[in-house]
Amino acid sequence: MLPLEFLFGRAFTEDPYAAYDELRASGPVHPIDFPRGATAFLVVDHEHGRAALSDPRLSKDSAHSSVPVDGELFFGGTMLAMDPPDHTRLRALVAKAFTARRVEKLRPRVQEITGALLDGVAARGEADLIEELAVPLPVQVICELLGVPASDRPRFREWTAVLTVPALTAEARERRREAARAFNGYLVDVIAERRAHPEDDLISGLVTARDGDAALTEAELLGGIALLLIAGHETTVNLVGNGVLALLQAPDQLELLRARPELLPSAIEELLRFDGPVERASQRIALADMEIAGTPIPKGAWVHVSLGAADRDPAVFEAPGRLDVTRAPRRHVAFGHGIHFCLGAPLARLEGEIAIGSLLERFPRLALAVPPAELRHHRTGSIVRGLVSLPVRV
């Protein structure tokens, strides 16, 4: 059985891929010594991981867990914790805001925000790309889309930093409860404001749906908006940070991409595969006794699919540890698979393409400002994978 430190220790957080290779070589499914008495399994290959992500025998509803789950710690009321038909109903209400066509209309605005951020970087000659590009770009875009005032945006990073980390101790669980209460309290006020004064934004649209035909419960409305705010920027933050670092550490690929900018869309897919923004999919729960790759999974057990491990599976991707911007890795699962495929994937792709493309075009001398060994990944134990900072010289 894998000790908890395997997934939640600092060494693993900094470089999980070698460990995943060793695990995959010994089998696709491994039991985990998970906290609070939960039986849990980790899936580390592409075939069975992809299948598990769309397996109807695996539920997202915490009510099916073999151990009690604190709703405040489990994203209750959001699509992440729902099965059909509730998931289908809630997703349909917001999906129209994230279609590829509607997202493409945001391109000029995303380009404008990116240009302004890079003006600031150029003026200084150096920057932390996480705090000065990767964070403010998607935060501003999703907040404008939802209708969140600019003055309130800094608070979302504080709440996200707490809400995306597993709460493994009593102290951590209390911090997460406090963040969830603060976030919910804020959203209650925003929803009340939109009810009184609707605007042309997504929050007003969801409030109208809730009040018009009861398509959403109040808890679903709160949870849905919270999820959109958190997931609507977190993926892009890590796509940009991880992607730029990967290119800086593979200078031949960086120069190829500069010379052939038409490769940018496929390069984004390769960066998602190579070191994606979400390392593990949020948990699934077995609805009945079942098997995955011959491993018995008891009813109520938690199943975690490692997206990062699946996307480095040599059975699917040739030389998976090598970055290749000419690769077309369309079978990657960086955004998940099945009915819970990331709703914001078109927006994350657009933001990543514009941010990374603009950065490379504008700064031909872009370079790390610190040795790679000094860089650190944050949120030990989180399902997301991202850098604390990325200091560069331009």
Side-chain angles (χ1 to χ4, degrees):
M1 179 174 291
L2 296 176
L4 192 59
E5 290 76 16
F6 180 86
L7 289 178
F8 294 87
R10 172 56 63 185
F12 179 84
T13 297
E14 293 304 330
D15 182 17
Y17 297 112
Y20 280 141
D21 288 344
E22 291 184 15
L23 282 179
R24 196 187 308 105
S26 62
V29 183
H30 299 267
I32 312 170
D33 183 15
F34 221 61
R36 301 192 299 280
T39 301
F41 297 84
L42 179 69
V43 184
V44 295
D45 76 328
H46 188 279
E47 177 188 354
H48 297 98
R50 193 170 188 269
L53 292 172
S54 59
D55 193 327
R57 299 173 299 172
L58 295 173
S59 171
K60 299 285 283 180
D61 188 344
S62 63
H64 299 292
S65 173
S66 59
V67 296
V69 175
D70 189 329
E72 286 185 294
L73 307 179
F74 200 79
F75 290 98
T78 78
M79 289 180 282
L80 279 181
M82 289 182 181
D83 300 325
D86 290 332
H87 171 269
T88 308
R89 172 174 52 84
L90 183 55
R91 186 177 175 107
L93 286 171
V94 297
K96 58 187 177 183
F98 295 96
T99 63
R101 178 176 295 181
R102 292 201 63 176
V103 166
E104 184 59 30
K105 292 181 179 179
L106 297 174
R107 182 178 291 272
R109 180 58 180 149
V110 175
Q111 189 70 65
E112 181 183 14
I113 296 169
T114 301
L117 292 170
L118 294 184
D119 285 345
V121 172
R124 288 185 300 279
E126 60 183 23
D128 174 1
L129 285 185
I130 300 300
E131 292 305 318
E132 298 181 54
L133 176 64
V135 169
L137 171 61
V139 167
Q140 186 167 345
V141 171
I142 194 63
C143 285
E144 288 183 4
L145 188 62
L146 284 161
V148 173
S151 59
D152 295 336
R153 294 168 192 168
R155 286 190 274 180
F156 295 124
R157 285 300 289 168
E158 298 175 13
W159 289 324
T160 300
V162 177
L163 293 172
T164 57
V165 178
L168 302 180
T169 66
E171 181 181 2
R173 286 192 287 275
E174 185 54 36
R175 284 198 304 270
R176 192 164 181 181
R177 289 189 191 97
E178 290 174 359
R181 291 165 188 157
F183 200 0
N184 282 341
Y186 171 80
L187 292 178
V188 166
D189 292 340
V190 170
I191 289 168
E193 173 64 22
R194 290 300 189 280
R195 282 199 171 107
H197 307 286
E199 298 182 12
D200 184 20
D201 56 45
L202 187 51
I203 289 180
S204 295
L206 291 174
V207 169
T208 300
R210 156 72 180 134
D211 294 344
D213 57 14
L216 292 174
T217 67
E218 195 70 12
E220 289 170 348
L221 178 61
L222 277 167
I225 295 171
L227 178 62
L228 288 171
L229 282 167
I230 294 174
H233 77 272
E234 191 68 24
T235 300
T236 301
V237 172
N238 297 332
L239 166 56
V240 173
N242 297 356
V244 171
L245 176 60
L247 288 168
L248 289 173
Q249 292 184 302
D252 61 323
Q253 297 301 297
L254 185 149
E255 292 308 318
L256 177 59
L257 190 54
R258 277 203 178 105
R260 298 180 58 191
E262 72 275 9
L263 290 174
L264 193 55
S266 66
I268 293 298
E269 301 305 316
E270 171 68 347
L271 293 170
L272 285 163
R273 180 204 68 81
F274 182 77
D275 193 12
V278 181
E279 184 182 315
R280 296 194 310 281
S282 54
Q283 61 285 312
R284 270 86 173 150
I285 300 166
L287 292 173
D289 291 347
M290 58 181 291
E291 287 189 357
I292 298 178
T295 299
I297 310 292
K299 178 181 178 180
W302 292 24
V303 174
H304 298 260
V305 176
S306 172
L307 307 180
D311 283 339
R312 293 284 190 104
D313 189 340
V316 178
F317 305 103
E318 183 180 357
R322 175 173 56 84
L323 183 69
D324 179 0
V325 298
T326 67
R327 194 194 306 258
R330 290 295 176 178
R331 294 187 66 195
H332 75 70
V333 290
F335 288 123
H337 178 64
I339 64 171
H340 290 281
F341 182 84
C342 178
L343 188 66
L347 181 58
R349 285 183 166 115
L350 177 71
E351 291 170 336
E353 180 180 328
I354 291 175
I356 294 175
S358 299
L359 190 67
L360 299 187
E361 179 182 10
R362 186 158 179 179
F363 302 121
R365 298 172 63 187
L366 181 70
L368 283 174
V370 299
E374 292 184 13
L375 298 174
R376 291 289 178 267
H377 291 81
H378 60 174
R379 305 188 187 102
T380 301
S382 175
I383 66 171
V384 299
R385 176 168 171 77
L387 293 159
V388 174
S389 63
L390 184 57
V392 297
R393 293 188 300 271
V394 300

